[in-house]
């Protein structure tokens, strides 16, 4: 466990936050490069847009309780919260493209990046969940009393 502002967090949370941020950033950069939007934008504007999309996706995951590790019991619940968060991220990104049409990214980039993010993040969450269940530390119990 690590401590931030006098509150303890499990290591699994840090692993999920960092790895999912990197995955989302790589997906947005890769999809932008694949659809040829790389030629239109400079590297700094591409990096800014990818970081902004990553931040929007991470905020939506946070507010959909995707990082509340105690409440995520089943794989169906993980899937539901992930789809709920990425749906909200899609709406926020659509609104941002509506108000900033000259942002440089076309609609196909956003659509494909959100779908790829949903698939990759779902597989990643299931892999991390499976590994933590298989190799995670068991629960410690202290029994006090007499028999």
């Amino acid at each position: 466990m690590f401590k931030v502002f006098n509150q303890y967090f499990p290591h699994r949370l840090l692993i999920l936050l960092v790895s999912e941020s990197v995955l989302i950033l790589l997906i947005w950069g890769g999809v932008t490069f694949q659809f040829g939007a790389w030629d239109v934008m400079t590297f700094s504007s591409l990096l800014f847009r990818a970081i902004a999309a990553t931040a929007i996706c991470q905020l939506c995951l946070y507010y959909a309780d995707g990082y509340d590790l105690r409440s995520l019991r089943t794989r169906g619940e993980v899937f539901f919260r992930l789809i709920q968060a990425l749906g909200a991220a899609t709406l926020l990104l659509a609104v941002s493209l509506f108000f900033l049409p000259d942002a440089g990214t076309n609609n196909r980039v956003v659509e494909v990046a959100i779908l790829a993010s949903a698939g990759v993040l779902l597989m990643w969450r299931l892999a991390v969940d499976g590994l933590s269940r298989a190799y995670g530390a068991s629960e410690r119990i202290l029994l006090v009393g007499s028999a």
Side-chain angles (χ1 to χ4, degrees), residues 13-97:
L13 178 65
L14 180 66
I15 291 170
L16 282 175
L17 281 171
V18 171
S19 62
E20 287 180 353
S21 295
V22 169
L23 283 173
I24 294 170
L25 191 62
L26 289 175
I27 288 169
W28 278 86
V31 170
T32 304
F33 181 74
Q34 181 181 2
F35 279 101
W38 180 275
D39 299 333
V40 177
M41 297 182 288
T42 63
F43 180 74
S44 62
S45 64
L46 170 68
L47 186 64
F48 175 74
R49 288 181 183 95
I51 289 173
T54 302
I56 288 172
C57 289
Q58 287 290 35
L59 282 173
C60 289
L61 279 169
Y62 174 76
Y63 283 116
D65 289 332
Y67 294 115
D68 187 11
L69 301 178
R70 285 179 239 142
S71 68
L72 296 176
R73 300 280 183 220
T74 64
R75 291 182 176 164
E77 192 171 356
V78 171
F79 176 74
F80 175 72
R81 290 198 181 171
L82 183 67
I83 295 302
Q84 182 182 11
L86 291 178
T90 304
L91 290 174
L92 288 174
L93 289 168
V95 167
S96 70
L97 284 176

Side-chain angles (χ1 to χ4, degrees), residues 1-10 13 62 68 70:
M1 297 195 116
F2 64 96
K3 186 177 179 180
V4 177
F5 298 121
N6 289 330
Q7 187 172 4
Y8 288 98
F9 296 100
L13 178 65
Y62 174 76
D68 187 11
R70 285 179 239 142

Side-chain angles (χ1 to χ4, degrees), residues 92-114:
L92 288 174
L93 289 168
V95 167
S96 70
L97 284 176
F98 180 73
F99 286 115
L100 301 170
D102 297 330
T105 56
N106 58 17
N107 295 337
R108 296 295 294 174
V109 170
V110 175
E111 293 168 3
V112 172
I114 287 290

